[in-house]
Amino acid sequence: MKDEIPNLKDFDQRLRDEAHEDLADIINEEPTSKTQIIAIYGKGGIGKSFTLANLSHMMAEQGKRVLLIGCDPKSDTTSLLFGGKACPTIIETSTKKKLAGEEVQIGDVCFKRGGVFAMELGGPEVGRGCGGRGIIHGFELLEKLGFHDWDFDYVLLDFLGDVVCGGFGLPIARDMAQKVILVASNDLQSLYVANNVCSAVEYFRKLGGNVGVAGLVINKDDGTGEAAAFAEAVDIPILAAIPQDDDLRKKSANYQIVGTAESQWGALFASLGDNVAVAPPVRPTPLDQDGLLGLFDASETGGDVVLEPATDTDMRGKNAVEKVSLEVVYDDA
């Protein structure tokens, strides 16, 4: 059975061999590869870690081999999975080991619970480096640990979506992931971030990339419908709508897993797991700023504001001095 499942090294090579093809235009059925590398993006605080911890736990219950990698400098992806305990990060551990003249071992940075294997890349100390560069460095260390030889059905990467720059855009820019999943809510800021990620995906597709968007997870859904309207506008499916519910809020705050068959929310995350598995990567159609604002009531967003150009006099204020015009004005003949 094990021989039927390709390892990550084989999967990586297959993606490189197919680099000349536009996968999002030709894939319209369930992905055939047993290994899927999926990058999850969303606004900070929107609930990516909550979604991923429970999704990965449910996938493991379903018999899948899952590796969850936190790629956010906050290093909070695995906190819910491990009951609030901080997971030693790869970057922090690497620094300490290097100073001690030792090599990092997989057991130093990778931990497991409920069948899920999980680790955190981490980031630099505040004010001492670039978070994006830290992500790149973290993946370099993963490769040294044998990343391409590991054998998993799913590798889930939790990325901060607020800034889609070099390090945080790595899975999209370098075709590291097969597809992207967005997490957002019915608010303008989270949909702005989701739309930015769609723009990044489309940009790299035009440069020859193959990563597509598998769909949107609506978290804290209050039923107002803006996130659903966004998904329809950019032409991506909704993979799940997680309701705004006090029970979910309390369990998340107490680091309790709800992505299990024993929970009342088990069916929801089981359905999400099934949808994530079969959703093909598609090309989104990102919105411009006016299109994004158009999803909301103008009275709530200021979408009906008209831009009024400033004048030189406005800018100079009390220092404004009327300039004598050099224009020659002729009287009517």
Side-chain angles (χ1 to χ4, degrees):
M1 178 66 182
K2 185 176 185 298
D3 292 337
E4 297 176 4
I5 303 177
N7 62 29
L8 294 179
K9 187 175 183 179
D10 295 333
F11 178 68
D12 178 71
Q13 185 59 50
R14 185 178 67 79
L15 285 183
R16 294 178 184 276
D17 292 341
E18 295 177 348
H20 66 284
E21 296 180 352
D22 198 338
L23 295 183
D25 290 339
I26 64 175
I27 293 179
N28 52 23
E29 299 177 350
E30 177 180 345
T32 57
S33 174
K34 294 296 183 181
T35 303
Q36 292 192 47
I37 303 177
I38 306 172
I40 291 81
Y41 283 91
K43 174 182 175 293
I46 201 59
K48 297 188 305 303
S49 299
F50 163 80
T51 301
L52 279 175
N54 288 293
L55 171 62
S56 61
H57 193 277
M58 176 54 72
M59 283 181 154
E61 276 195 10
Q62 293 173 331
K64 306 298 184 181
R65 281 178 54 80
V66 183
L67 172 63
L68 175 61
I69 304 179
C71 307
D72 188 322
K74 295 195 300 295
S75 304
D76 61 347
T77 301
T78 59
S79 59
L80 192 151
L81 186 65
F82 294 133
K85 293 182 175 62
C87 179
T89 71
I90 292 175
I91 292 178
E92 175 189 19
T93 303
S94 173
T95 301
K96 291 180 178 179
K97 290 284 186 176
K98 186 176 181 179
L99 291 174
E102 301 173 356
E103 294 289 332
V104 177
Q105 304 297 320
I106 194 63
D108 297 325
V109 294
C110 188
F111 306 89
K112 53 188 179 179
R113 182 189 180 196
V116 181
F117 295 81
M119 60 180 70
E120 294 278 0
L121 290 188
E125 293 184 39
V126 177
R128 297 190 182 184
C130 169
R133 175 56 193 152
I135 296 301
I136 295 174
H137 179 55
F139 272 101
E140 291 172 348
L141 292 173
L142 281 183
E143 291 183 353
K144 292 180 181 178
L145 287 172
F147 178 78
H148 295 296
D149 294 317
W150 297 342
D151 185 12
F152 289 96
D153 296 313
Y154 294 91
V155 177
L156 305 178
L157 310 174
D158 181 4
F159 272 89
L160 180 67
D162 297 76
V163 182
V164 192
C165 67
F168 299 111
L170 201 64
I172 303 172
R174 296 190 183 179
D175 271 357
M176 285 183 58
Q178 185 180 18
K179 55 192 181 184
V180 164
I181 291 175
L182 305 172
V183 179
S185 190
N186 294 310
D187 69 273
L188 180 58
Q189 291 304 314
S190 71
L191 293 179
Y192 177 84
V193 169
N195 192 59
N196 266 358
V197 176
C198 286
S199 296
V201 167
E202 183 61 14
Y203 171 75
F204 285 108
R205 292 308 295 267
K206 292 178 179 178
L207 295 181
N210 290 316
V211 180
V213 177
L216 174 71
V217 174
I218 305 175
N219 192 34
K220 303 176 184 178
D221 187 12
D222 58 5
T224 54
E226 290 86 355
F230 169 79
E232 181 178 2
V234 300
D235 198 21
I236 60 174
I238 296 174
L239 302 177
I242 302 172
Q244 181 173 286
D245 187 274
D246 198 49
D247 181 62
L248 285 175
R249 181 188 63 80
K250 289 178 179 178
K251 283 184 168 58
S252 176
N254 292 324
Y255 301 104
Q256 296 180 34
I257 291 291
V258 297
T260 173
E262 300 174 358
S263 166
Q264 63 171 311
W265 306 104
L268 173 62
F269 282 94
S271 177
L272 174 58
D274 293 338
N275 291 338
V276 166
V278 301
V282 300
R283 295 184 72 163
T285 53
L287 304 176
D288 59 19
Q289 181 69 6
D290 289 338
L292 193 60
L293 287 175
L295 300 174
F296 297 83
D297 187 329
S299 64
E300 297 178 357
T301 64
D304 55 355
V305 171
V306 177
L307 298 179
E308 180 183 355
T311 66
D312 181 71
T313 300
D314 292 332
M315 305 305 289
R316 295 177 182 274
K318 64 180 181 180
N319 297 321
V321 177
E322 183 177 356
K323 293 184 179 180
V324 179
S325 174
L326 298 179
E327 180 183 5
V328 177
V329 179
Y330 295 93
D331 295 332
D332 294 336

